[in-house]
Amino acid sequence: METAEIVKVAVSAAPYSIDKPYDYLVPPELLETAVPGVRVTVPFGKGNRTSEGIVLARTQGEKEPKLKPLLSVLDREPVLDGDGVALALWLRQRYFCTLFEAVKTILPAGLWYQIREVWHLAEDMDRYTADGMAAGIRRAIPVLDALFAAGGTAELSDLEAACGPGTGAVLRALQKAGVTVCETAAKRKTGDKQRRMVELAVSAEEAASLTEKRSSPQRREAVRLLAAEGRMSAAEVCYYTGVSMAVLRGLEKAGIVAFSEEEALRLPDFSQVEPSGPIVLNEEQEAAFQSILALTKSGRPEAVLLQGVTGSGKTQVYLRLVQEILDQGRRAMVLVPEIVLTPQMMRRFAACFGDQVALLHSALRMTERYDQWKRIRRGEVRVVLGTRSAIFAPLKNVGLIVLDEEQESSYQSENPPRYHTRDVAKYLCARDRATLVLGSATPAVETAWNAEQGIYHKALLRRRYNQQALPQVLVADLKEEIRAGNPGMVGRILRRELAENLERGEQSILLLNRRGSSRYLLCGECGHVPECPRCSVALTYHSANGRLMCHYCGHSEKASDACPVCGGIMKHVGTGTQKVEEELRELFPGTEVLRMDADTADGRHEQLLDRFEKERIPILLGTQMVAKGLDFPNVTLVGVLAADLSLYVDNYRSAERTFSLLTQVVGRAGRGGSAGRAVIQTYTPENDVIQCAARQDYRGFYENEIRLRRLRRFPPFADLFTFTVSGAEEGAVLRAAAAVREELRRLFRLPELAAGAPEVLGPAPAPVMKLNNRYRYRCLLVGKNDKPTREAVSWLLKWFAGDRANRGMNLFVDCNSME
DNA sequence: AGCACGCCGACT
DNA sequence: GTCGGCGTGCTC
């Protein structure tokens, strides 16, 4: 048989159950360009739908008749090298995703092209001729109606919206008959850090008259807002009025409003930062530095836990290590949980390494991020500093990877594949024989265990920077407040301390744990709580726009004063930051309170924190984010409003997270000249986690926690796989989940999997049982995340997808997930 | 998943 | 007779 050039392609249209490298012929015109690592378009499936793909390898082989040729090559040079392909393969087997999903995770979003099918009528095609030629093609008439109505050219997605699914097949049939032609446009996505702005395109009066009658109330509402506010972001208009983007697009079509793009806020430019002097380490830092340095010279992949209390100067150690690695002719990665909270870290790295460092953070526009990525690939960068996804920066010859605050949950991706940065870092360190440094004041229990077992090395920083004493910590019992008839969130002790700070002109930080702290409405008569129509959660009340919103699916509706069930009066309940803010205003009239939470601080943390410091605003009130990051010399009081709120979350990590959060926030107090105080309010003052946090006693916390974990078979003693089945019909989902459990039980009786006695539990409803109108039940497998187990899980996923009984349902797997 | 093929019942 | 339902099987 004839031989031909063949490429192995990871195809985006292939779901997990049939995912593998698919072979394609290289047509003569693509012989030059279709090399490993370039993205391509290929025909896939019976209908030869155009699908994106990436070339994994190129070979010569037999020209089998089933092979189809590539359609096009999208890149002039490869975007993924051999290391990248190997990493994608690793991600697939580790996180049960498709090859293409893995590749997409590795490559920067700015690179992504959106493939769109644009359909045209054939030249000189009129309706009469088209109808004649389309005779015998099913459902051709409505599709032609839509295409003619659109002026002869339309995108597939628009036609599908108008004519329903299956439109693609009709169009292809019409193409065969010569009625239509298709053009596949590869279009670069616009930068996601561009904000879409909208404003009136005509005068306010004109706009009002144009929407006066025969216009929907949504349109009128949007126009009224824009007339009052002028130019604002489209997302904001949607937020305040509750209209959808479709309404705004409609107004644009009618010529009433105009869209434009504006750059989202950016971090300060560090290119002009003054070069810093030599880094001086104290004795303890020097010892830690030397021990880690020795590891980097071992030529083996090693991991080390650098445990240092808040303010012990871990960053100094990182900086020295990176310097040394660069001197060894190797490169380094430094990862941080949330870069907006660590501008000083960025400043210091910029000062130390100048343009050899690439800063990769979420505030970069997509094009900037892509530019940085290209610089790294070209080898112009020797240090990468960034958040989670920076671990995929194409840095070569890596000698050191640092994960700062390694216990942070932001190191785990929240969308699939839900990789953990620590695991990817371990893979990279093994590949490049690099050293992994896990830095933390309060390490994850698994990490501390690994250090204890000698799997990780250990380095300690015990002393706080200028020998400062730990804050004095008061634990206040909220039960007593209730007994004393104080229903508020600020108890007497905290009130007294706040008053004292106000008097002395010193600043205070108040922390409200986000979980369980949102605000919702409740009917005083019948107890009705407005719920999301699509998800099984209560709607959260937003006072900024007077609307009820779902934090899971984005549903939004106008809040009403009367109960929709019985007509009773609705009351506000819950303890969101907004409510605490009101309480503070009542307690301390005239005192300025700066509120920082996800709603107020969207992309503006730094400005808010800057104001807090410069303007010396007396009280900063916020969620988790106030616990991390900056040190303020004038802050001498820290208050935790309800320490328990994050403690009783149904998650094996809740104790660890609460301890870490409390320890960090307590450490915020008094880092300047004055000694600090911390008040921890709680309903359970005797709780061990809270007691240990108050004493800043990691050891005590760890000893307790590891005992519990061993008892309950939680990580690190076992790995928890959650199998979530979702679908529109609750009964079917429950049945499918039960089938998953049975299949798991059967699988894990196999001798090679039975080691360590895996346990299978469930099915039980997921924490949010209904999400976007889909019910979710899950099963739990307590076992070991090893190769045979992963292979069994992979088999189970394929089995599930292949069983007809599970049609319309979805199964996904997570291991030791944060949720 | 998404699509085609194929085999059955209800209609012009 | 044929239009359209969904059950079955495959995707280079």
Side-chain angles (χ1 to χ4, degrees):
Chain A
M1 193 174 279
E2 211 184 329
T3 66
E5 289 292 316
I6 295 185
V7 280
K8 300 221 174 275
V9 178
V11 181
S12 101
Y16 185 76
S17 51
I18 58 160
D19 183 46
K20 61 169 185 177
Y22 283 88
D23 288 349
Y24 283 88
L25 289 173
V26 183
E29 71 275 15
L30 300 179
L31 279 169
E32 295 279 301
T33 48
V35 296
V38 293
R39 287 168 303 155
V40 290
T41 58
V42 295
F44 191 75
K46 290 276 165 63
N48 283 330
R49 290 166 292 137
T50 302
S51 169
E52 287 174 81
I54 188 152
V55 176
L56 300 169
R58 183 158 152 180
T59 54
Q60 286 185 338
E62 281 182 12
K63 191 173 177 173
E64 285 176 66
K66 70 172 178 184
L67 296 188
K68 297 174 187 175
L70 296 177
L71 292 175
S72 69
V73 170
L74 296 174
D75 295 303
R76 273 198 226 125
E77 30 184 289
V79 292
L80 203 68
D81 58 13
D83 279 345
V85 172
L87 179 55
L89 288 164
W90 180 81
L91 280 173
R92 174 170 75 153
Q93 60 88 38
R94 186 66 212 260
Y95 297 106
F96 314 108
C97 64
T98 68
L99 270 170
F100 193 79
E101 284 162 344
V103 167
K104 252 191 135 139
T105 306
I106 294 171
L107 294 177
L111 193 72
W112 285 95
Y113 290 84
Q114 205 175 18
I115 309 279
R116 300 197 293 184
E117 279 185 26
V118 183
W119 286 87
H120 309 272
L121 287 165
E123 231 172 292
D124 297 327
M125 184 62 55
D126 60 52
R127 187 61 206 254
Y128 181 76
T129 323
D131 281 348
M133 290 167 82
I137 297 172
R138 281 187 204 175
R139 294 175 51 201
I141 304 301
V143 175
L144 285 172
D145 284 344
L147 192 52
F148 273 95
T153 298
E155 258 183 58
L156 177 62
S157 54
D158 292 337
L159 291 170
E160 261 173 353
C163 313
T167 304
V170 177
L171 285 162
R172 270 182 283 278
L174 287 167
Q175 185 177 27
K176 259 189 202 154
V179 187
T180 58
V181 281
C182 174
E183 174 194 306
T184 314
K187 239 189 166 174
R188 198 170 277 241
K189 277 186 188 164
T190 52
D192 66 347
K193 283 297 154 186
Q194 298 260 330
R195 293 210 300 167
R196 181 175 300 176
M197 306 297 286
V198 60
E199 64 195 311
L200 291 180
V202 294
S203 74
E205 297 78 49
E206 205 178 329
S209 75
L210 279 168
T211 52
E212 203 162 8
K213 36 191 161 278
R214 287 166 40 92
S215 262
S216 65
Q218 281 91 354
R219 281 188 172 206
R220 273 200 296 275
E221 199 56 47
V223 165
R224 209 174 300 151
L225 180 67
L226 284 166
E229 298 294 322
R231 190 158 176 263
M232 60 196 294
S233 88
E236 278 178 306
V237 175
C238 294
Y239 175 81
Y240 285 110
T241 61
V243 308
S244 69
M245 274 304 288
V247 172
L248 294 181
R249 274 197 294 272
L251 284 167
E252 190 205 19
K253 261 205 183 132
I256 299 167
V257 306
F259 286 115
S260 53
E261 301 286 325
E262 183 183 86
E263 278 175 33
L265 285 160
R266 284 202 273 156
L267 282 171
D269 177 15
F270 292 117
S271 58
Q272 302 303 316
V273 170
E274 297 235 339
S276 62
I279 299 152
V280 183
L281 301 182
N282 67 28
E283 206 177 306
E284 208 180 41
Q285 291 168 333
E286 181 68 24
F289 162 69
Q290 287 297 344
S291 71
I292 299 170
L293 182 63
L295 295 175
T296 69
K297 291 176 176 163
S298 71
R300 287 189 305 270
E302 300 277 8
V304 53
L305 164 62
L306 175 61
Q307 187 167 7
V309 295
T310 320
S312 60
K314 291 190 289 290
T315 308
Q316 297 287 101
V317 179
Y318 303 155
L319 283 165
R320 278 293 287 128
L321 282 168
V322 172
Q323 277 184 336
E324 284 297 321
I325 286 292
L326 298 191
D327 285 347
Q328 291 174 20
R330 305 171 82 189
R331 288 154 202 220
M333 282 184 163
V334 179
L335 299 168
V336 291
E338 249 177 293
I339 209 150
V340 281
L341 296 174
T342 50
Q344 358 52 328
M345 182 109 128
M346 287 203 273
R347 205 166 288 128
R348 283 160 86 176
F349 271 82
C352 232
F353 303 107
D355 59 7
Q356 298 187 87
V357 61
L359 304 175
L360 295 174
H361 51 79
S362 54
L364 287 182
R365 283 174 303 160
M366 216 184 248
T367 48
E368 291 174 311
R369 193 188 294 248
Y370 181 36
D371 287 345
Q372 293 282 41
W373 183 82
K374 282 190 287 193
R375 274 183 67 214
I376 299 166
R377 245 173 68 89
R378 284 198 299 266
E380 293 168 20
V381 169
R382 301 178 70 200
V383 184
V384 167
L385 173 61
T387 41
R388 183 173 68 222
S389 62
I391 195 70
F392 296 116
L395 197 68
K396 293 276 149 201
N397 192 13
V398 174
L400 176 76
I401 301 180
V402 174
L403 250 72
D404 187 38
E405 300 299 340
E406 64 91 33
Q407 82 287 1
E408 286 292 328
S409 60
S410 59
Y411 281 124
Q412 185 165 49
S413 168
E414 61 263 289
N415 29 42
R418 300 204 197 189
Y419 66 89
H420 198 295
T421 311
R422 195 198 289 128
D423 295 331
V424 182
K426 280 187 202 168
Y427 169 89
L428 296 175
C429 284
R431 186 185 76 190
D432 285 3
R433 295 167 186 278
T435 304
L436 175 62
V437 176
L438 302 170
S440 179
T442 55
V445 171
E446 292 101 303
T447 301
W449 169 256
N450 280 336
E452 203 91 325
Q453 298 299 299
I455 297 164
Y456 298 164
H457 300 264
K458 203 168 173 180
L460 271 177
L461 300 174
R462 291 167 199 281
R463 271 184 297 158
R464 280 185 121 192
Y465 208 57
N466 39 25
Q467 311 269 344
Q468 182 152 44
L470 281 173
Q472 177 205 350
V473 183
L474 299 165
V475 178
D477 190 348
L478 283 174
K479 290 198 298 284
E480 281 176 24
E481 295 298 324
I482 293 174
R483 275 184 225 119
N486 172 15
M489 283 300 293
V490 181
R492 284 165 299 178
I493 297 175
L494 182 56
R495 202 182 311 167
R496 185 190 70 210
E497 298 293 327
L498 273 171
E500 197 181 314
N501 251 31
L502 289 173
E503 206 166 292
R504 289 205 295 229
E506 293 174 351
Q507 291 175 286
S508 312
I509 292 179
L510 296 182
L511 167 80
L512 183 64
N513 289 7
R514 187 87 181 141
R515 245 182 239 263
S517 65
S518 58
R519 204 174 179 197
Y520 57 99
L521 293 184
L522 172 106
C523 172
E525 322 267 308
C526 73
H528 169 74
V529 174
E531 277 191 17
C532 175
R534 291 196 288 249
C535 314
S536 54
V537 294
L539 290 167
T540 304
Y541 180 73
H542 285 225
S543 64
N545 57 3
R547 296 185 74 83
L548 290 165
M549 303 185 92
C550 173
H551 284 184
Y552 289 89
C553 73
H555 168 86
S556 141
E557 60 186 59
K558 193 130 192 71
S560 89
D561 298 331
C563 172
V565 177
C566 73
I569 298 163
M570 301 300 280
K571 291 197 300 191
H572 297 256
V573 287
T575 47
T577 48
Q578 300 172 13
K579 189 156 185 185
V580 177
E581 188 182 8
E582 285 159 25
E583 189 180 335
L584 287 167
R585 289 200 200 293
E586 265 171 50
L587 286 173
F588 307 107
T591 301
E592 196 174 350
V593 177
L594 196 65
R595 181 162 64 88
M596 185 164 100
D597 53 30
D599 302 330
T600 63
D602 190 32
R604 272 170 284 214
H605 309 75
E606 228 206 332
Q607 283 97 318
L608 281 179
L609 294 171
D610 213 47
R611 273 193 62 205
F612 177 63
E613 184 170 13
K614 296 227 170 78
E615 295 174 27
R616 293 215 166 193
I617 294 166
I619 299 174
L620 172 66
L621 165 68
T623 49
Q624 259 88 324
M625 55 189 80
V626 302
K628 300 158 202 240
L630 308 177
D631 315 327
F632 302 104
N634 195 40
V635 171
T636 53
L637 173 65
V638 162
V640 181
L641 291 165
D644 325 59
L645 282 184
S646 61
L647 198 52
Y648 301 109
V649 180
D650 180 24
N651 184 308
Y652 73 93
R653 273 186 230 268
S654 58
E656 176 183 311
R657 261 199 244 174
T658 303
F659 177 80
S660 176
L661 183 65
L662 293 180
T663 308
Q664 283 182 59
V665 76
V666 165
R668 293 277 138 234
R671 298 186 66 183
S674 18
R677 282 125 56 230
V679 177
I680 299 177
Q681 300 194 125
T682 167
Y683 293 97
T684 49
E686 67 290 343
N687 181 285
D688 278 334
V689 174
I690 289 167
Q691 286 293 330
C692 288
R695 293 196 305 269
Q696 304 265 299
D697 176 11
Y698 182 81
R699 193 71 223 167
F701 159 75
Y702 171 79
E703 302 277 346
N704 266 328
E705 184 65 15
I706 203 80
R707 200 158 3 101
L708 282 174
R709 297 259 183 119
R710 192 195 303 267
L711 217 63
R712 295 184 192 156
R713 290 196 72 198
F714 284 156
F717 300 102
D719 293 302
L720 305 180
F721 289 86
T722 41
F723 295 80
T724 309
V725 179
S726 66
E729 211 227 305
E730 188 174 2
V733 172
L734 193 51
R735 245 176 285 128
V740 166
R741 179 199 56 208
E742 289 314 311
E743 206 55 35
L744 279 169
R745 293 215 164 127
R746 198 183 61 74
L747 272 174
F748 284 88
R749 267 200 299 272
L750 299 175
E752 69 268 28
L753 295 167
E759 251 181 280
V760 180
L761 306 165
V768 178
M769 185 176 62
K770 194 171 105 184
L771 201 148
N772 252 323
N773 278 335
R774 290 177 72 84
Y775 291 88
R776 306 181 320 154
Y777 278 85
R778 41 189 217 187
C779 300
L780 193 69
L781 169 71
V782 186
K784 202 80 213 135
N785 190 351
D786 54 13
K787 208 162 173 233
T789 301
R790 284 198 295 270
E791 276 163 8
V793 169
S794 173
W795 181 88
L796 184 89
L797 284 168
K798 288 174 188 164
W799 161 79
F800 186 89
D803 193 333
R804 305 244 167 253
N806 299 326
R807 262 194 306 186
M809 275 178 286
N810 188 30
L811 170 66
F812 74 92
V813 187
D814 245 326
C815 184
N816 298 340
S817 150
M818 302 276 183
E819 272 168 37

